[in-house]
Amino acid sequence: NIHKQYHANIPEPMQNQFNLSFDAISHDSANKIMPVFVKAKRSQDLQMVDSLKEEALKSTDKQKALAFIKLGVDDAGLTDAEKTETLRDSARRWDKNENNRVLMALSESKDLATLESQSSEEFIKKQYPDMSQEDVLNAVNARKNEIARINQVNKIALDKQTNLAQKALADFKSDVFAAGGRGLDSNLVDNYAGVIKGTEFEQEFQFYQKQSSNLTAFGAKTTEQQLKELNRIQSSLAQNKSQDPETENKLLSAYQSIYDNKVAILKEDPNKAVRNLGGDVKSITPMELLTNPQATATSMINNVLNQRGLKDNNVVIKPIPEEDLPAIKKAWGDASGDQKLNIIAGIVSA
């Protein structure tokens, strides 16, 4: 276009020189522009290849991904060496991505068995042949680290479950030993069973659960009757060789615990013994003591009669429940002389 624009205005004698000069200038300009164009075209091709690689490597089918990348590489005008390197790097990256995806899935499912069977260097090399040696070692280390992490998480969870089960067993035994003649609520037993199931304490729990009716019946007896039964069992064990001494001794130990526990309750908190049998224990409040000593006396008499009703020589009579005693003592200590006289007179009258 430039040549056409100026050629018409060039005199005839000068046209040959104009043409030579124009060709020289055009050639010189092309030599300067062409490298810039080639460089820009190459940059554009490489960017296209990179974008194509990123998209293709999302595929879960390695062969399809590599075939797609090869088509793009062939169209990009890369050298043979660049094509080979691009395809080799793509295969390596696909293997690394797939290894990471599998590792994440196994980690989320905490599949220790599969992780342990697939964490060797030999397995990784066979499964992902295009990964470099460094990639293989990193993959092995990542899987072994994940195994260690899952084992630690499982250990923490197991320790927690074990501690809860151990406490549940202790609480269950305590409840059985203190149940008196009432037995235990079935829902409570089910709750204990749910916590203990599958732990090292399950067998011992089942032993006490199986014996709970016998233990409850023993707990309903007076301490005098319990002591006689204990002496009888001990004498029988001494005279006769048991076929299952471990079970017999465990049962004897349970009976002894029930006896010791009941004696302690009867002496320290007889109102609790009354409650264990489903009896009614009257609470005594500071306000009632100060304002209605006759009602206080009635409550105390109710508690005494219930304690006497236990018909146990180990009972230490305590008309005021243990949990009410601190507040009652304080109220008595804070009362004036006249209030104390009124309280005494009201209780005596009742």
Side-chain angles (χ1 to χ4, degrees):
N1 287 335
I2 293 174
H3 181 275
K4 185 178 180 180
Q5 179 183 346
Y6 288 101
H7 186 268
N9 298 323
I10 301 298
E12 183 69 26
M14 303 293 292
Q15 284 188 358
N16 188 46
Q17 183 180 349
F18 170 76
N19 289 336
L20 293 174
S21 298
F22 186 86
D23 288 343
I25 292 170
S26 297
H27 182 73
D28 184 56
S29 297
N31 284 339
K32 291 178 180 178
I33 292 171
M34 187 58 68
V36 177
F37 169 77
V38 170
K39 185 177 180 180
K41 178 68 166 62
R42 178 176 173 77
S43 176
Q44 186 178 19
D45 288 345
L46 290 174
Q47 187 175 3
M48 182 272 294
V49 170
D50 285 342
S51 177
L52 182 145
K53 276 170 59 178
E54 294 301 322
E55 193 63 30
L57 288 174
K58 295 176 182 177
S59 172
T60 56
D61 187 319
K62 183 177 182 179
Q63 297 310 316
K64 285 185 179 179
L66 294 179
F68 185 63
I69 293 171
K70 187 176 186 306
L71 286 175
V73 168
D74 289 341
D75 291 341
L78 302 183
T79 65
D80 289 343
E82 288 172 332
K83 290 178 182 179
T84 300
E85 175 59 23
T86 298
L87 289 172
R88 187 196 68 77
D89 182 65
S90 297
R92 171 177 172 255
R93 285 184 57 189
W94 191 94
D95 278 2
K96 285 181 66 177
N97 291 346
E98 180 64 10
N99 170 67
N100 291 336
R101 185 191 67 77
V102 170
L103 177 58
M104 184 175 295
L106 293 174
S107 299
E108 289 178 353
S109 64
K110 296 183 179 179
D111 189 349
L112 268 177
T114 303
L115 273 171
E116 288 171 346
S117 67
Q118 297 182 1
S119 63
S120 68
E121 188 174 337
E122 293 75 16
F123 176 87
I124 298 296
K125 283 182 177 179
K126 183 178 180 181
Q127 192 75 7
Y128 307 109
D130 290 309
M131 291 204 315
S132 68
Q133 180 62 22
E134 182 181 0
D135 295 335
V136 171
L137 293 177
N138 288 337
V140 170
N141 289 334
R143 293 189 180 215
K144 288 183 175 178
N145 288 338
E146 190 59 24
I147 290 171
R149 185 192 70 80
I150 293 173
N151 278 329
Q152 182 64 19
V153 169
N154 289 345
K155 182 179 182 303
I156 292 172
L158 179 61
D159 288 346
K160 180 180 179 181
Q161 183 184 9
T162 300
N163 291 334
L164 289 174
Q166 187 175 23
K167 183 180 184 303
L169 177 61
D171 290 343
F172 174 71
K173 287 167 65 176
S174 178
D175 287 346
V176 170
F177 295 169
R182 290 182 303 161
L184 295 181
D185 180 85
S186 60
N187 290 330
L188 182 62
V189 176
D190 289 343
N191 289 338
Y192 284 133
V195 176
I196 297 171
K197 185 176 176 60
T199 70
E200 60 189 276
F201 305 104
E202 185 173 9
Q203 187 174 356
E204 188 173 358
F205 170 78
Q206 289 174 348
F207 168 80
Y208 287 107
Q209 187 179 26
K210 184 179 179 181
Q211 294 292 337
S212 61
S213 59
N214 294 330
L215 296 172
T216 299
F218 181 80
K221 296 178 179 180
T222 66
T223 54
E224 291 85 359
Q225 292 170 331
Q226 289 178 348
L227 188 57
K228 287 180 181 179
E229 182 71 9
L230 280 171
N231 291 333
R232 185 192 65 76
I233 295 173
Q234 288 173 333
S235 176
S236 176
L237 286 175
Q239 294 175 9
N240 304 306
K241 195 170 183 179
S242 173
Q243 294 182 344
D244 189 1
E246 183 179 351
T247 298
E248 292 289 349
N249 286 322
K250 185 184 288 188
L251 196 56
L252 177 62
S253 176
Y255 285 146
Q256 184 69 52
S257 295
I258 292 173
Y259 170 76
D260 293 340
N261 185 62
K262 187 164 186 177
V263 169
I265 290 175
L266 290 172
K267 290 182 176 180
E268 297 167 12
D269 191 358
N271 288 299
K272 182 177 180 181
V274 172
R275 289 195 186 97
N276 284 344
L277 290 173
D280 178 38
V281 176
K282 300 294 185 183
S283 294
I284 298 174
T285 66
M287 180 62 70
E288 184 185 73
L289 178 70
L290 296 172
T291 61
N292 193 353
Q294 288 90 349
T296 296
T298 300
S299 297
M300 290 165 62
I301 291 167
N302 174 83
N303 294 341
V304 169
L305 292 175
N306 281 337
Q307 291 167 32
R308 288 190 179 280
L310 295 172
K311 299 186 182 303
D312 199 299
N313 291 335
N314 279 306
V315 171
V316 175
I317 299 300
K318 295 188 177 183
I320 302 174
E322 285 296 305
E323 63 271 18
D324 296 339
L325 202 54
I328 294 298
K329 284 183 176 180
K330 185 177 186 307
W332 175 260
D334 293 342
S336 66
D338 288 342
Q339 285 177 317
K340 288 180 180 177
L341 289 172
N342 287 335
I343 291 170
I344 293 171
I347 291 176
V348 170
S349 173

